[in-house]
Amino acid sequence: MPFSFRLPWRRAGAAAVPETKATGFVALAAESRAHWSSRSYAALAREGFMRNPVAHRAVRLIAEAAASVPWLAYAGEEERPDDPLLSLVARPNGRMSGTDFLETLYGHLLLSGNAFVEGVRIGGALRELHPLRPDRVRIVEGRDGWPEAYEYRAGAHVRRLPAEGQGVLHLRLFHPLDDRLGFAPLEAAGMALDLSNAAAVWNKALLDNSARPSGALVYQPKEGGNLSPDQYDRLKAELEEGYAGAARAGRPMLLEGGLDWKAMGLSPREMDFVEAKNGAARDIALAFGVPPMLIGIPGDATYANYQEANRAFWRLTVLPLVFRTAAAFSAWLSDGAGEAVRLAPDLDEVSGLAAERSEVWARVGAADFLSDEEKRRAVGY
């Protein structure tokens, strides 16, 4: 990164005091304390999803995969393909399709650890579902410490939504230190996220200032003497105009009059920024539960091939998220339906599990000791 450097100046009116610049050594240094970004929803969304390609791809990969899984409705053991709750989830409101709604919901859950859905009732029946941005929602606690209402603020407008009934559905991920709010996966990888972003900024700075690495200009004239203020200003201007910027990368530096350039600090190769950046990317993918192989991160050999990594991604990350979301919607939507309706993902339509489903069908089909009715139940019908 660029640094400005100063030589000792002689104050006006102090000509009788001799200057002491024996070697003319000018050190360029910076404070080495690390700085970590904020952990709020806005900061995680901006620094992670909007600026970091690994976090962006991990969130999109999970949200899009989970939103692509269709849902089924059951009343007891009976499947109900025409249940109105399925129609509501497929078309939650006039602005969004079911896939857009679920993708937004899963994105909020991954970036914030919380997702809020407002239910709109028309004529006593639940007609619309609207996702609420987590950073605009404030939980209002009652005297017993449990939520009694939710306040949603959009600009200067504040709406108060009841916590009971079908006013607001609150989905949250497990938080060990909070009874009301969830914990975002990206927050656990906050240091890795900052390291990955800092490596990208460093590489960009190397492109912009590759011909002017941090170091020291040493002035050691043979006859003795010091740089005058005019000489110092001219030298600084020449460095800025002649050697800074990507267009001047690789230009040799011409030094005269006893000037010598001494590079300081570790080079990018010595600090191994490439491996550090890949390690940070693996930590970010690990926090989300995405195999690094699926994002194209080199150096990961956890899974034998892409197909095995994709199957683990669906089984260990996507399906648990879909199941818990479907269970939460089942309890919330059934509250005013008059009967218990269970929503569950249709695993037969999951493309990532097609190989597993084929194995199950072949194994059940070869079981001669099972009747056709038992085989149907074994495969989920």
Side-chain angles (χ1 to χ4, degrees):
M1 61 182 68
F3 295 93
S4 62
F5 56 93
R6 299 180 59 188
L7 293 174
W9 286 76
R10 185 172 60 186
R11 295 176 300 174
V17 181
E19 297 179 348
T20 57
K21 293 186 283 187
T23 61
F25 182 82
V26 184
L28 308 182
E31 188 179 5
S32 60
R33 186 176 60 184
H35 298 275
W36 307 109
S37 60
S38 173
R39 296 297 180 259
S40 64
Y41 171 78
L44 290 176
R46 183 170 52 252
E47 299 296 326
F49 186 79
M50 301 176 67
R51 293 187 58 186
N52 189 277
V54 178
H56 177 89
R57 183 55 186 153
V59 172
R60 288 287 303 274
L61 198 63
I62 298 174
E64 291 177 355
S68 68
V69 179
W71 288 6
L72 299 175
Y74 295 90
E77 296 297 328
E78 179 186 358
E79 182 181 347
R80 303 180 62 175
D82 299 327
D83 193 278
L85 296 184
L86 292 179
S87 301
L88 181 61
V89 175
R91 187 65 174 175
N93 56 68
R95 299 179 296 105
M96 308 176 72
S97 65
T99 302
D100 295 335
F101 171 77
L102 291 176
E103 186 177 336
T104 302
L105 194 69
Y106 292 131
H108 288 167
L109 198 59
L110 293 171
L111 291 175
S112 172
N114 302 274
F116 300 90
V117 179
E118 179 187 3
V120 177
R121 306 183 72 90
I122 301 176
L126 192 62
R127 298 298 185 184
E128 291 186 354
L129 303 176
H130 295 271
L132 304 178
R133 230 174 71 178
D135 59 327
R136 294 179 175 178
V137 179
R138 186 178 72 89
I139 300 178
V140 180
E141 301 178 0
R143 292 184 176 181
D144 55 359
W146 295 105
E148 67 175 12
Y150 296 90
E151 286 188 356
Y152 183 73
R153 178 181 297 273
H157 182 64
V158 180
R159 293 189 296 120
R160 191 180 182 93
L161 307 172
E164 300 295 334
Q166 292 179 307
V168 174
L169 171 64
H170 180 194
L171 299 171
R172 70 184 189 95
L173 300 180
F174 171 70
H175 196 311
L177 301 179
D178 200 314
D179 296 331
R180 296 166 299 279
L181 296 176
F183 186 77
L186 191 57
E187 190 171 353
M191 292 186 178
L193 176 65
D194 289 341
L195 179 60
S196 179
N197 289 342
V201 173
W202 171 270
N203 291 333
K204 177 63 167 58
L206 285 181
L207 293 177
D208 292 340
N209 302 281
S210 57
R212 192 185 59 178
S214 61
L217 275 177
V218 182
Y219 179 58
Q220 293 179 331
K222 296 180 180 179
E223 297 82 7
N226 305 301
L227 285 174
S228 65
D230 293 338
Q231 290 175 325
Y232 167 77
D233 292 337
R234 181 175 65 88
L235 177 60
K236 183 178 179 181
E238 289 181 356
L239 287 175
E240 293 287 346
E241 297 174 2
Y243 301 100
R248 303 177 181 89
R251 176 179 295 183
M253 181 179 291
L254 178 61
L255 300 177
E256 60 179 342
L259 289 174
D260 186 22
W261 176 263
K262 300 292 185 182
M264 301 177 61
L266 299 176
S267 67
R269 176 174 296 181
E270 292 169 329
M271 297 189 70
D272 203 4
F273 274 174
V274 174
E275 181 56 33
K277 187 175 182 180
N278 291 337
R282 284 190 287 270
D283 289 342
I284 296 173
L286 177 64
F288 283 107
V290 178
M293 183 181 297
L294 300 184
I295 309 181
I297 302 174
D300 182 79
T302 304
Y303 301 97
N305 51 52
Y306 187 90
Q307 183 178 3
E308 183 181 343
N310 186 57
R311 185 183 305 180
F313 167 68
W314 277 94
R315 279 295 181 189
L316 302 179
T317 301
V318 177
L319 289 185
L321 183 63
V322 174
F323 272 109
R324 67 178 295 154
T325 304
F329 269 91
S330 299
W332 186 58
L333 296 177
S334 299
D335 190 21
E339 60 178 337
V341 178
R342 179 173 59 90
L343 299 176
D346 186 1
L347 300 184
D348 288 339
E349 299 296 328
V350 177
S351 59
L353 302 179
E356 289 189 8
R357 298 296 297 175
S358 298
E359 295 175 1
V360 172
W361 280 64
R363 187 167 59 251
V364 173
D368 298 335
F369 56 89
L370 294 178
S371 64
D372 290 343
E373 180 68 19
E374 292 172 329
K375 290 180 180 180
R376 290 175 58 84
R377 292 184 179 179
V379 296
Y381 286 90

